Every structure is written in structure tokens, then in C-alpha cells.
Amino acid sequence: MSFFDYFRNKKGPNTASIAKERLQIIVAHERNTRGQPDYLPQLQQELLDVIRKYVAIQDDQVQVQLDKNDSCSVLELNVTLPDKV
Amino acid sequence: MSFFDYFRNKKGPNTASIAKERLQIIVAHERNTRGQPDYLPQLQQELLDVIRKYVAIQDDQVQVQLDKNDSCSVLELNVTLPDKV
């Protein structure tokens, strides 16, 4: 048992269930000309696939927001991970 | 300041002539406990590999910044793409 585990075990059950790990991914794409293809929507799934190599993410833990105007697109992924007990 | 503002402020008066396509990727990882493994450095290359499926990025077009403290790590990738003529 590591030093770290020692303190973790000292925590009560409520702490474990409330504490969260968060991951936020923001991709902003500024295009200088209009009408260029916007690949951010396709990127979304691929980025999640990369992250999943490191942490287990369920689809219902991910909030996705995509904003765009003429020249700029912003993709925002917010992931809330349950604390590992 | 929103991301839109950020990019807006970056534009100078000669926007049209020096227009560039920019891509910014920010990954923020908030860990609720200290000492957890930080996978952002490894993520960096994999994220670029995903982006490269959509746009040709040379290594010298990428600026990488990694900030971290006890509970939070932030990886920032700034890519400036040459304007397609």
C-alpha cells in the first residue's frame, strides 16, 4: 500500500463519491477565408478516442459544445470522471 | 475574454494580407487528488496526429506549452497554418 493509498483510505465514503476529476478539451479553429471545410465536428470523436487510451470515459460523462461563426469555430468537450475509489 | 475575442485581438490592421489559419487546442486536466499520473505530455503527440488527418501541420508550426500545479495541468497547442493561396 502506497503512502497515497493510506490517505485515500482515511477518507469517508462521501468524499470519494463527491470528488470528481475533470477534463476539458477546447479546440478553436480560426479560418481566414469563409467556406473552408470545418473539420471540428469530425475531430470530436477522434479526440475522445485518444483520451480513452488514458482514461475510461463513458459517453454520458461528456458534454459537447460547438460554436461557430463565419471565420471561427470552437469545439468544447467537458468530461467529468468519477473518482476512482 | 472568450476565445472569439482572443482571436479577434490577435488580428492586426493588415489582416487581409497576412491572414493565417490558426488552430488552438487546450486540454485542461483537473485532478482531485495529488500524485495521479499526468498523461497530458503523452497526449500532445497523439492529438497532433489526429489533427494531421485533416490539415498538414509541420512541427515548426506548432507551439506547445504545458503548465501544471498540484491539482491541475493545462496543455496548450498553438498551430499557425500558412494561408492557402
Side-chain angles (χ1 to χ4, degrees), chain B residues 44-60:
Chain B
Q44 172 188 322
Q45 192 57 48
E46 298 203 50
L47 291 177
L48 281 177
D49 288 343
V50 168
I51 306 285
R52 281 200 175 99
K53 294 181 185 178
Y54 298 94
V55 278
I57 301 176
Q58 308 300 318
D59 282 338
D60 61 3

Side-chain angles (χ1 to χ4, degrees), chain B residues 54-72:
Chain B
Y54 298 94
V55 278
I57 301 176
Q58 308 300 318
D59 282 338
D60 61 3
Q61 293 167 343
V62 183
Q63 285 189 320
V64 179
Q65 196 178 339
L66 183 62
D67 293 317
K68 64 191 292 184
N69 62 24
D70 278 346
S71 61
C72 192

Side-chain angles (χ1 to χ4, degrees), chain A residues 4 11 19-30 32 39 42-43 46 50 53-55 83, chain B residues 7 11 21-30 32-34 39 42-43 46 53-55 83:
Chain A
F4 183 66
K11 289 181 181 177
K20 298 285 182 189
E21 186 180 344
R22 290 187 184 85
L23 195 62
Q24 184 176 48
I25 303 142
I26 296 172
V27 184
H29 182 201
E30 186 193 17
N32 53 316
Y39 45 80
Q42 292 94 306
L43 262 186
E46 298 203 49
V50 169
K53 294 181 185 176
Y54 299 94
V55 278
D83 188 22
Chain B
F7 284 116
K11 287 182 180 177
E21 189 179 343
R22 291 187 185 88
L23 195 62
Q24 184 178 48
I25 303 143
I26 295 174
V27 184
H29 183 200
E30 183 188 14
N32 54 315
T33 48
R34 299 177 187 191
Y39 43 80
Q42 291 94 305
L43 263 186
E46 298 203 50
K53 294 181 185 178
Y54 298 94
V55 278
D83 190 20

